[in-house]
Amino acid sequence: MRLKMRWALAPLCVMALAACGEGGAGKADGTGAAAPSNRTLTATLKDDRAFGTLERVLENAALGDVLAGTGPYTVFAPSDAAFAASAGDLGDEAMKAQGAAVLRAHIVPGALTRADILAAIAREGSGDVQMRTMANSLLTFSQEGETVIVAGDNGARARLTGSETVASNGVVQPVDALLVRPAAAAAN
């Protein structure tokens, strides 16, 4: 059992070690440099128009305080279009529990920049790296050409898109799709 635990935790350790390599904060530019930021993840998501649905779901699910806290966390943030294509209106009060479950499946502990994720993938011989979410599901990271792909353990796949934002308590990584199906998230 102990040997199995070590192997199960190895990818998590790789990701955690990779996260230690980047100490910057702010919005990453094309060179990988980061501008300083003192804004929390909640404030960052609230101010970005691309994440209006995510911000409403975050508020409705009462997870705003978590992402305004100490952290660090990485939020794989689906765009409004990703929510519209997959989930409907998870910001509605009737969908509170389902919205919270979907959000937890998009949040991992630690501050992971794309450079950290790419470095972890490069160090891992198989090319895939896994990390556990707040929903206790696994996200698998891989690279296809220059694109970082993240897949949920239910087969949902998304690409990291746009510019990451490094906040005071973590990182926002925009993704182009949900990483869990809402019905599956509600069952967790």
Side-chain angles (χ1 to χ4, degrees):
M1 178 70 167
R2 186 172 203 139
L3 182 58
K4 285 184 182 180
M5 267 311 257
R6 284 190 197 144
W7 284 109
L9 293 176
L12 178 62
C13 293
V14 169
M15 293 296 285
L17 289 173
C20 295
E22 296 290 320
K27 192 153 208 132
D29 63 19
T31 65
S37 173
N38 60 358
R39 303 197 41 88
T40 66
L41 289 165
T42 298
T44 299
L45 290 168
K46 191 173 277 198
D47 289 346
D48 193 324
R49 294 182 157 228
F51 304 120
T53 304
L54 178 62
E55 191 270 325
R56 280 190 7 231
V57 174
L58 181 69
E59 218 171 89
N60 189 43
L63 288 173
D65 287 344
V66 172
L67 296 182
T70 304
Y73 301 104
T74 300
V75 179
F76 293 94
S79 65
D80 288 346
F83 273 105
S86 300
D89 191 7
L90 291 176
D92 182 79
E93 181 65 28
M95 301 292 279
K96 186 175 191 169
Q98 199 170 12
V102 168
L103 282 178
R104 286 191 310 267
H106 286 80
I107 302 170
V108 298
L112 301 174
T113 65
R114 288 198 191 149
D116 297 332
I117 295 168
L118 287 168
I121 291 169
R123 282 193 299 266
E124 183 63 33
S126 68
D128 290 348
V129 176
Q130 293 184 323
M131 186 148 200
R132 196 153 296 280
T133 69
M134 286 179 65
N136 201 29
S137 59
L138 284 176
L139 295 181
T140 302
F141 300 89
S142 60
Q143 187 175 2
E144 292 178 3
E146 296 297 313
T147 304
V148 175
I149 305 295
V150 58
D153 55 9
N154 66 352
R157 290 172 39 103
R159 295 175 297 151
L160 271 56
T161 59
S163 297
E164 66 188 16
T165 302
V166 181
S168 62
N169 62 341
V171 181
V172 175
Q173 292 287 354
V175 293
D176 65 355
L178 293 183
L179 299 171
V180 64
R181 293 177 182 91
N188 287 336

